[in-house]
Amino acid sequence: HDVSNSSTRGPVARSGHSAVLFETEMLVFGGTSDGNLYNDLWSMDTDTFVWTSVATPTCPGERAHHAAAVMGLNMLLYGGEVSS
């Protein structure tokens, strides 16, 4: 993955997102806040607690309340609520 922005601020507060642990990174995708759906991917280094916005070559649409899992080097998403 491409690291595009590092900070300690991290993503906006949200619910309905997914989070998975991969080695020393917690990956957070999507979710909802104030009626907005997100399709952003963030990584938090569990050693330093620094958040990084992750650019992806392909990205699913905005969604919330979906499932996620790590398989090999990939984060898989399934289902969820999407905008109409």
Side-chain angles (χ1 to χ4, degrees):
H1 56 57
D2 250 346
V3 172
S4 59
N5 182 15
S6 292
S7 78
T8 53
R9 289 182 81 198
V12 300
R14 61 190 68 192
S15 63
H17 57 280
S18 59
V20 295
L21 190 61
F22 177 73
E23 296 179 355
T24 62
E25 294 178 81
M26 180 177 69
L27 301 170
V28 174
F29 179 83
T32 184
S33 176
D34 296 324
N36 298 312
L37 289 173
Y38 296 99
N39 71 333
D40 53 348
L41 179 63
W42 286 83
S43 170
M44 187 192 72
D45 185 305
T46 58
D47 292 329
T48 63
F49 298 101
V50 171
W51 284 99
T52 303
S53 174
V54 180
T56 59
T58 58
C59 191
E62 296 128 346
R63 67 191 57 234
H65 309 290
H66 52 281
V70 171
M71 179 181 267
L73 298 177
N74 299 296
M75 180 179 179
L76 306 175
L77 302 176
Y78 180 77
E81 170 190 340
V82 296
S83 57
S84 11

